Every structure is written in C-alpha cells, then in structure tokens.
Amino acid sequence: DGGITQSPKYLFRKEGQNVTLSCEQNLNHDAMYWYRQDPGQGLRLIYYSQIVNDFQKGDIAEGYSVSREKKESFPLTVTSAQKNPTAFYLCASRSLSGNTIYFGEGSWLTVV
Amino acid sequence: DAKTTQPNSMESNEEEPVHLPCNHSTISGTDYIHWYRQLPSQGPEYVIHGLTSNVNNRMASLAIAEDRKSSTLILHRATLRDAAVYYCILRDPLQPRQLTFGSGTQLTVLP
C-alpha cells in the first residue's frame, strides 16, 4: 500500500546528542514537510521541500536540519541546538498538483 | 497565511449530527477551505475541502457561507470513532508553502 512511513515511532535522546528521524514515502509526491506538535497544540511547520535537493525553512527551523537527496526520503535531524526537542514529529507529503496532504503516523521524541 | 478561528471543544451525542464551525473572515479569493482530523498519537487525516460550493463525501459535508467568511463541517451521524481534533485550514494552491494548522476543535462524542 502507498503511504508515508516514519521511524522510529518512539525515540529517547540524551541532552547534547543529535538524532535523525526518518520519513519515506512511496506516493511519488514532490513536496514533503516536517511538523512539530506539542501536547494540546496545533502543528508547526519546521521545514518543507518541493523538489529534490531543495528545501525551505518553516516557522520553527532553528535547531533542526533536513536533506532531500531522493524524492521519496526527507530525514529530519534534531540537533543539540534545539532547546526543547521533546515533542511529536509529523512528516507529510503532497503532490504539487493535488490538494490533499498525507501524513505519517508520527514519531515521539523524548529528551532524557 | 489567512487565519481561522474554531471553538476549542464541542460535545455531541452518538448517532446525532455534529456541526463544527470555522470563521475565516480574512480569506482570499484563491484560498481553499480544508478540514483535517487527528486522533490521539496519530497523524492528521484528510476529511474534505471546498472553494465556494457546498461539498459532500463519504465522511462529511462542508457548508460554505455565501461570503466565504465562515464554513461548517457536518458529520451526519457521529460515532465514537469520530472523536478527534478537527482542524479548519485555508490553503492557496498557488502558494508553495504548506498551510498552518491551528489548535483545532476537540470533538467529544458521548455514548
């Protein structure tokens, strides 16, 4: 089945460590997105990419980095510079000609 | 991005209709109105979208005001599985940036 796969589902990180969240889609979508969600809050855009080898900062890009070397993959690295990284992270994708956004199941990151 | 305003929470009884309102007084002529819903610890799920006319699909109906400054998502018969956070979002398909999700409406369905 087509869809978006995020991994891992749950991740624990020690302070000062970088961690990378994986996002893979087999929907042949051009655009991919990363959102952060804190408990009881809406989604905030971290980064987005419309095409391979190109990406743009969203509203809360500080402390995060991304790459888009392949169309189907858009990994997010949470760096040690991110002061409050504990959150629920959501990856999404969309066809540039379509209206619907498809989301992955999300990844929970906890800093211990 | 144009802003939307939704109530923080609503309750409904099972098997009754639910009307979820959304105000978007600064909507532009090219903005589509989208609705998504999110169950706990899951990614949001597409529900419906429209531009000017009312829309129906197997999940819900979308009623759009004539001046487009407000809209209502209608669930015709609420079930317990409809309990979720519902997001009303505006999106201009000509803009490359992804749209902004606010805090939405938490729908509670009572058995």
Side-chain angles (χ1 to χ4, degrees):
Chain A
D1 287 346
I4 301 176
T5 302
Q6 289 186 238
S7 63
K9 177 70 174 177
Y10 299 96
L11 184 62
F12 295 87
R13 188 195 91 176
K14 291 182 179 180
E15 283 191 19
Q17 288 182 338
N18 292 354
V19 63
T20 298
L21 306 179
S22 170
C23 178
E24 303 278 332
Q25 55 98 358
N26 60 4
L27 300 167
N28 199 34
H29 286 170
D30 294 292
M32 296 187 74
Y33 308 85
W34 274 105
Y35 289 90
R36 169 182 171 142
Q37 187 174 35
D38 293 287
Q41 305 296 314
L43 281 67
R44 292 185 291 168
L45 182 65
I46 305 172
Y47 268 99
Y48 66 102
S49 168
Q50 293 192 96
I51 194 170
V52 174
N53 292 324
D54 184 59
F55 47 83
Q56 305 295 327
K57 292 182 179 179
D59 299 316
I60 55 165
E62 185 176 351
Y64 300 97
S65 66
V66 293
S67 63
R68 187 86 187 276
E69 297 177 1
K70 297 186 297 183
K71 185 177 184 179
E72 59 269 23
S73 179
F74 192 40
L76 174 73
T77 297
V78 184
T79 74
S80 57
Q82 170 50 234
K83 297 188 188 310
N84 297 298
T86 296
F88 187 49
Y89 290 88
L90 286 158
C91 180
S93 73
R94 179 177 68 86
S95 166
L96 288 180
S97 60
N99 266 307
T100 304
I101 311 156
Y102 296 87
F103 284 84
E105 290 296 306
S107 293
W108 284 99
L109 172 62
T110 301
V111 174
V112 297
Chain B
D1 295 331
K3 186 176 171 59
T4 62
T5 304
Q6 299 176 253
N8 288 333
S9 62
M10 292 185 65
E11 279 188 359
S12 172
N13 293 318
E14 197 176 8
E15 297 191 3
E16 289 186 356
V18 183
H19 290 232
L20 297 166
C22 181
N23 288 320
H24 29 79
S25 58
T26 60
I27 190 171
S28 73
T30 52
D31 282 332
Y32 280 75
I33 302 159
H34 290 248
W35 284 83
Y36 283 75
R37 70 180 185 182
Q38 185 179 24
L39 278 67
S41 296
Q42 293 188 26
E45 171 191 30
Y46 168 82
V47 178
I48 201 167
H49 77 278
L51 183 61
T52 56
S53 304
N54 295 344
V55 183
N56 300 296
N57 66 21
R58 63 174 180 82
M59 292 181 70
S61 295
L62 176 60
I64 301 172
E66 196 168 333
D67 64 4
R68 299 205 333 122
K69 295 187 176 184
S70 65
S71 60
T72 303
L73 179 70
I74 303 166
L75 306 180
H76 297 286
R77 288 185 65 194
T79 70
L80 297 179
R81 289 175 294 180
D82 290 323
V85 177
Y86 286 79
Y87 296 99
C88 168
I89 302 143
L90 302 182
R91 180 172 174 272
D92 181 349
L94 300 178
Q95 297 298 319
R97 256 188 69 121
Q98 194 41 62
L99 36 75
T100 302
F101 285 70
S103 53
T105 297
Q106 174 68 62
L107 175 65
T108 301
V109 180
L110 303 173

